[in-house]
Amino acid sequence: MGRKLAGKIVIATHNSGKLREMRDLLAPYGIEAVSAGELGLAEPDETGADFAANALIKARAAAQAADLPAFADDSGLCVDALGGAPGLFSARWAGDSRDFNAAMARIEREVLATGAAAPWRAHFISALALVWPDGHIEQVEGRVDGDLTFPPRGTSGFGYDPCFRPDGHRRTFGEMAAEEKHGVPADGSLALSHRARAFQALAKACLAPSGA
Ligand code: IMP
């Protein structure tokens, strides 16, 4: 059982897609969330060797700068045929202009160049870190496996959603409503997205439903 979270926290992200998902996830727990972007906090360099290390770097920096508990996610898409790329570099493959159509086209090009036969297996990982100003840390990870599909389909979500079809589904994340992708089922069954799955683990350890 982890330390319980209550009151106001900082969400250590400048990514509006991720911020929206995290706010939705935290709302049922009565947590008031401000973002690092809204507070004008600097973005630390993500120099960690894996997703968990990068999440910790972001949460630590925000907790110290804002003197509030801070919540950070580091995530990405790992493609088997590309040895796990883009992985830690998922955001960077989209360049400064955050052009995910170009990033998805690059994945398609590079996968085809390997000669690997479809289905092209891939997974998203989300590492979550919660850091309190006194240095206490809670960390969890979530993962969703699926296939890549080209051309990308759908306009929902963000990033690589349109080219990823989670196992057990015909539609891509880009074709799913937000609630279907990252909702946390009330009956306690496993959520779909990597971030929602990581969140379920974190909620179990550190969050109590509002009014409980
Ligand atoms: P970071 O976690 O901010 O370093 O960025 C991770 C990158 O991975 C994002 O910019 C997206 O490109 C990609 N990514 C992470 N989670 C998702 C998701 O749920 N859907 C689509 N792309 C994602």
Side-chain angles (χ1 to χ4, degrees):
M1 179 86 76
R3 186 191 285 190
K4 293 294 175 202
L5 186 65
K8 188 168 169 180
I9 69 163
V10 190
I11 298 182
T13 184
H14 288 69
N15 173 325
S16 59
K18 290 206 297 193
L19 177 63
R20 206 164 39 239
E21 289 192 6
M22 290 182 186
R23 275 206 167 120
D24 287 352
L25 288 166
L26 288 163
Y29 298 94
I31 305 280
E32 187 195 337
V34 291
S35 78
E38 286 161 345
L39 293 179
L41 305 184
E43 282 185 88
D45 289 335
E46 296 179 23
T47 52
D50 56 25
F51 294 110
N54 278 342
L56 194 54
I57 288 172
K58 289 187 270 192
R60 257 200 191 121
Q64 279 165 10
D67 198 24
L68 287 169
F71 180 61
D73 149 279
D74 198 58
S75 54
L77 177 69
C78 304
V79 178
D80 289 7
L82 301 182
L88 287 180
F89 304 100
S90 294
R92 273 164 269 182
W93 273 35
D96 288 341
S97 58
R98 310 250 153 137
D99 183 349
F100 283 97
N101 289 323
M104 288 187 282
R106 177 174 170 193
I107 290 181
E108 180 180 16
R109 234 179 12 252
E110 295 200 7
V111 167
L112 288 173
T114 66
W120 298 311
R121 301 294 294 160
H123 58 270
F124 278 112
I125 297 264
S126 165
L128 298 182
L130 197 47
V131 176
W132 276 258
D134 68 3
H136 181 81
I137 294 168
E138 299 282 346
Q139 287 194 276
V140 292
E141 217 163 88
R143 166 178 175 147
V144 57
D145 288 86
D147 295 330
L148 295 179
T149 178
F150 298 104
R153 300 194 315 249
T155 52
S156 303
F158 66 99
Y160 297 94
D161 279 343
C163 71
F164 183 82
R165 198 176 47 204
D167 287 345
H169 294 261
R170 287 177 176 277
R171 285 165 300 133
T172 68
F173 271 163
E175 295 173 301
M176 292 183 184
E179 181 56 28
E180 185 177 4
K181 179 189 167 195
H182 72 255
V184 175
D187 64 3
S189 58
L190 189 64
L192 184 54
S193 84
H194 48 310
R195 196 166 299 103
R197 288 177 177 177
F199 191 82
Q200 279 180 314
L202 191 79
K204 212 167 159 192
C206 306
L207 294 170
S210 187

